[in-house]
Amino acid sequence: MPVPSQAARTAPTAATTTPAPSLVRDAATPRLTSFSHGGGCGCKISPGVLSQLLQGAARLPVPPQLMVGLDTADDAAVYRIDDEHALVATTDFFMPIVDDPHDFGRIAATNALSDVYAMGASPILALAIVAMPIDRLPLDVIRRILQGGEAVCASAGIPLAGGHTIDSVEPIYGLVAIGLANPTHIRRNDEARPGDRLVLGKPIGVGIASAALRKERLSAEGYAAMIASTTQLNVSGPALARLPGVHAMTDVTGFGLLGHILEMCRGARVRVRLSSASVPRLPGTEQRLAEGFATGASARNWAAYGHEVRLASGDDALRALLTDPQTSGGLLVACEASAVADVLATLRRDGFAAACEIGEVLAGEPGIDVV
């Protein structure tokens, strides 16, 4: 598989001459990230613990209209209404990954809508999930979080039609997202086939950048690149689902790139050869890794699934990168080799300049060979 140049693997960064919003704060306003023990999708329960929890879940009767439910580790539930309409439903929420309230709201909303796009559906409405420490967080800060979510819904062309609020120790924000698709266009994460290629839509390194931000060591340029990636809606999903040769889709979030590839592998009973050199990174990611910035979720991810991964290199930095929890990450597409050009063209048309081919699906025991 061709390895793109570093320029092709690096997401463009908007020029900035002033410090980013999260880097310049009113000293009287507490940092949003100071309220939370983990931020963004790094808050997710580790894959190993989640697996144990779901093993004990009661199996209720499943109606025939339920196309996607608990049987796979998919991004959303899908309920078939008729031959032309399927309802896609999901929810996603987390604690602050950044200190700027508006940016936090935007990131959380973008992340929640991504699960609808990853199924090949288009969102039609959303409901807000709001839990805030009312006695410790200024109301204006909370209002700006909500406005950030509203702005993303407006950009997606959908109403924020309601929601639910509670008083909470930690700030939590997210959405219930509802979408529609033709049932034939639904793309699960468990239908990759040997011979397929893997294409990734966004660069990784969000968790590493957020770790630097918490230590106030993320530059304005690094922050701008992180925000540009995490607030970019994965609008390509429905168009990708309609392309001939696209077999499976998901989005890369809290379990890291390796974790979400493994979900594909386990569901389809296939193996993946991943080209680590081809994986796009946010600008400055290698330097941040060299400086020791990584999240605790990265180590938890590896502890949960590292036995299913063969790393050709013993490089700890590479392992930290590939297990790095992504918040509002890119679409991961499994498609026939003949469809790669169309998949990349679709993503790049929608502004995903860093999209590239990163691996190949093989027959074999589920797992990943990193080369």
Side-chain angles (χ1 to χ4, degrees):
M1 151 193 343
V3 178
S5 66
Q6 180 63 36
R9 293 192 294 109
T10 301
T13 306
T16 176
T17 56
T18 57
S22 270
L23 309 179
V24 177
R25 301 182 308 276
D26 178 355
T29 301
R31 297 183 68 183
L32 274 178
T33 53
S34 71
F35 286 91
S36 56
H37 70 276
C41 288
C43 301
K44 292 178 75 168
I45 293 175
S46 75
V49 174
L50 181 60
S51 177
Q52 294 177 48
L53 289 173
L54 293 179
Q55 284 176 3
R59 297 300 178 185
L60 301 174
V62 177
Q65 296 92 342
L66 189 65
M67 297 176 59
V68 181
L70 291 174
D71 292 338
T72 64
D74 233 311
D75 297 297
V78 181
Y79 189 91
R80 185 188 189 105
I81 299 172
D82 55 37
D83 289 346
E84 295 184 357
H85 303 91
L87 189 72
V88 178
T90 184
T91 183
D92 212 312
F93 48 88
F94 46 60
M95 292 167 282
I97 188 174
V98 296
D99 293 309
D100 182 86
H102 194 261
D103 284 346
F104 170 43
R106 292 167 65 209
I107 294 168
T110 304
N111 179 75
L113 294 178
S114 181
D115 286 340
V116 172
Y117 292 124
M119 300 301 298
S122 297
I124 57 171
L125 66 87
L127 307 173
I129 299 170
V130 185
M132 296 290 158
I134 299 298
D135 59 337
R136 293 187 296 150
L137 205 56
L139 292 182
D140 183 61
V141 170
I142 299 172
R143 188 178 297 111
R144 289 172 62 201
I145 294 171
L146 304 185
Q147 289 170 345
E150 291 166 0
V152 166
C153 289
S155 178
I158 64 171
L160 187 54
H164 186 65
T165 61
I166 64 168
D167 191 354
S168 171
V169 174
E170 294 177 299
I172 296 171
Y173 180 71
L175 300 178
V176 173
I178 306 296
L180 282 176
N182 186 298
T184 62
H185 295 155
I186 293 295
R187 290 295 174 266
R188 297 159 55 121
N189 69 355
D190 64 347
E191 296 183 343
R193 305 173 189 176
D196 279 356
R197 302 298 195 266
L198 289 185
V199 174
L200 180 62
K202 290 185 185 182
I204 64 173
V206 173
I208 295 162
S210 71
L213 179 66
R214 277 179 170 265
K215 298 291 186 180
E216 300 188 301
R217 295 281 300 279
L218 185 66
S219 68
E221 292 80 8
Y223 183 81
M226 173 185 167
I227 295 300
S229 180
T230 54
T231 59
Q232 185 174 15
L233 287 163
N234 282 320
V235 294
S236 303
L240 292 171
R242 292 192 293 270
L243 289 177
V246 170
H247 298 144
M249 282 199 303
T250 189
D251 61 347
V252 179
T253 55
F255 297 155
L257 179 60
L258 292 180
H260 292 282
I261 293 176
L262 280 169
E263 288 180 337
M264 278 189 165
C265 291
R266 297 181 195 123
R269 306 299 300 173
V270 295
R271 195 165 189 88
V272 162
R273 181 189 294 122
L274 177 67
S275 169
S276 59
S278 299
V279 176
R281 286 96 152 144
L282 286 173
T285 295
E286 281 81 2
Q287 179 62 33
R288 291 178 203 116
L289 282 170
E291 293 172 359
F293 293 114
T295 70
S298 176
R300 293 194 298 272
N301 282 341
W302 182 256
Y305 56 64
H307 61 283
E308 298 176 81
V309 180
R310 292 178 186 168
L311 276 171
S313 165
D315 187 349
D316 289 342
L318 177 61
R319 184 174 69 184
L321 172 70
L322 297 180
T323 57
D324 183 51
Q326 302 309 291
T327 298
S328 191
L331 293 176
L332 181 67
V333 183
C335 64
E336 295 175 1
S338 60
V340 169
D342 286 340
V343 168
L344 289 173
T346 299
L347 286 164
R348 289 169 183 164
R349 178 200 68 202
D350 290 334
F352 297 93
C356 62
E357 181 183 339
I358 63 168
E360 180 181 7
V361 180
L362 310 170
E365 186 69 19
I368 303 173
D369 299 312
V370 181
V371 298

